[in-house]
Amino acid sequence: MLRLALFLGTNLAILAVLSVTFRLLGFEGLLQANGVDLDLQALLVFSALIGFSGSLISLFLSKPMAKSAMGVRVITRPRSQTERWLLQTVQDQARRAGIGQPEVGIFDHPSPNAFATGWKRDAALIAVSTGLLQHMRPGEIEAVLGHEVSHAANGDMVTLALIQGVVNTFVVFLSRLAGFLVDRLVLRVERGHGPAFWIVSLVAELVLGVAAMAIVMWFSRWREFRADAGGAALAGRASMIAALERLRALQNTRPLPDEMRALAFDAGRVQALFASHPPLERRIMTLKAAGSTAGAPARE
């Protein structure tokens, strides 16, 4: 809740700064002089409501949506020694990371993968694929679980949703502003909104949306390095590197559905600017470099 309050407060502060800036620059006076009846404060509030509503709703529904989309079976009563080991490992890592016990689940997919989701760090869902259990050794699986527990402990799901809300706010605001200015100053529409408003707003929203996606994906890639470091701390750097190298060797396995890739441990290969995960080679190099800098032997 503190993280949520801080980001909402940050967004409101940014909106207030924009409003004051427009006034100091005389932007509102310029609009009024040209007969433009645009209420910037109302537009900012409207943009924030639209920008945050979708991302926050998605965040609050993330667990049931992930369970439904991937067919996750939550382990309540372990059916095998492997399931008991998964529960015990996640419970131990969550305790060491200082978070509540996450739900642990398994989904049927040949790709060696895992994901963490949920709107509360103390009530997350961590799910692993059947492919992960089949293709990885116990130490490597432990490292992947540590990576996902670190995502939950870092509050990455909440932070990502809030950053998405902030950039959505500015996409909505700037696209509507562009449409309004073309409508009033170029085409001289005096009342209501002409076709140009909707056309320009839509085009601007698409263009700005691409830039916004690049910002969100940059943060997503950055959080992967933090989670790798967390996985190394919980399971050992050697195990974390081995898990990444195993994934690199198995990259031709059928990938997860597109809607789940941003949550996943290995999101596959897409264009670098819009990739939710950094290249595996870079993640491995970063962990190795951190190990050599620290000068301490990694736990096997």
Side-chain angles (χ1 to χ4, degrees):
M1 292 305 296
L2 177 60
R3 186 185 301 267
L4 179 61
L6 286 173
F7 267 86
L8 289 175
T10 300
N11 193 60
L12 290 175
I14 292 172
L15 296 181
V17 169
L18 276 177
S19 177
V20 172
T21 301
F22 284 145
R23 287 189 177 183
L24 291 177
L25 294 176
F27 189 72
E28 290 184 337
L30 178 63
L31 294 178
Q32 292 173 1
N34 287 272
V36 178
D37 54 341
L38 175 61
D39 187 338
L40 290 175
Q41 286 77 20
L43 179 59
L44 286 170
V45 173
F46 167 80
S47 300
L49 291 174
I50 297 298
F52 272 94
S53 59
S55 60
L56 291 179
I57 290 172
S58 296
L59 174 65
F60 293 136
L61 297 179
S62 59
K63 278 176 64 173
M65 288 174 63
K67 290 177 183 178
S68 175
M70 298 305 299
V72 175
R73 177 177 63 83
V74 176
I75 303 173
T76 53
R77 295 183 179 179
R79 302 177 182 178
S80 65
Q81 181 60 35
T82 297
E83 292 187 2
R84 282 190 288 273
W85 178 80
L86 283 174
L87 279 176
Q88 183 60 47
T89 301
V90 172
Q91 183 177 16
D92 177 64
Q93 291 181 344
R95 177 183 55 78
R96 291 163 58 197
I99 62 172
Q101 173 65 29
E103 288 185 288
V104 182
I106 300 174
F107 59 96
D108 186 20
H109 201 280
S111 171
N113 232 313
F115 66 84
T117 190
W119 72 277
K120 287 179 63 178
R121 66 196 297 270
D122 291 323
L125 166 68
I126 293 174
V128 299
S129 69
T130 52
L132 184 89
L133 300 176
Q134 292 168 1
H135 293 293
M136 286 195 171
R137 299 186 178 94
E140 296 164 351
I141 297 173
E142 183 182 356
V144 173
L145 293 173
H147 175 100
E148 302 304 337
V149 167
S150 296
H151 272 313
N154 294 336
D156 285 341
M157 291 79 75
V158 175
T159 306
L160 189 63
L162 293 172
I163 288 177
Q164 183 70 64
V166 170
V167 298
N168 286 348
T169 296
F170 291 104
V171 168
V172 173
F173 174 78
L174 294 174
S175 62
R176 297 298 190 279
L177 180 60
F180 205 93
L181 292 178
V182 170
D183 215 28
R184 292 295 196 268
L185 298 180
V186 178
L187 299 180
R188 297 295 178 179
V189 175
E190 295 183 359
R191 293 193 176 190
H193 298 308
F197 171 82
W198 303 109
I199 294 173
V200 172
S201 295
L202 177 61
V203 172
E205 193 164 325
L206 291 174
V207 173
L208 293 171
V210 172
M213 183 186 299
I215 295 172
V216 174
M217 290 301 100
W218 172 84
F219 171 77
S220 180
R221 292 192 296 273
W222 175 75
R223 70 176 186 158
E224 290 306 312
F225 291 113
R226 292 180 65 206
D228 284 344
L234 292 171
R237 182 174 288 104
S239 294
M240 190 73 248
I241 292 173
L244 293 173
E245 289 177 336
R246 180 79 62 178
L247 281 176
R248 182 169 59 178
L250 296 168
Q251 276 186 333
N252 291 329
T253 309
R254 184 162 63 92
L256 291 177
D258 290 341
E259 63 272 15
M260 296 302 299
R261 288 192 183 188
L263 297 174
F265 180 72
D266 172 27
R269 293 187 175 188
V270 291
Q271 272 191 314
L273 185 61
F274 300 103
S276 60
H277 288 50
L280 289 170
E281 293 82 359
R282 187 178 171 196
R283 293 167 66 181
I284 293 169
M285 288 176 59
T286 300
L287 279 173
K288 289 181 176 179
S292 61
T293 301
R299 183 169 70 87
E300 300 294 338

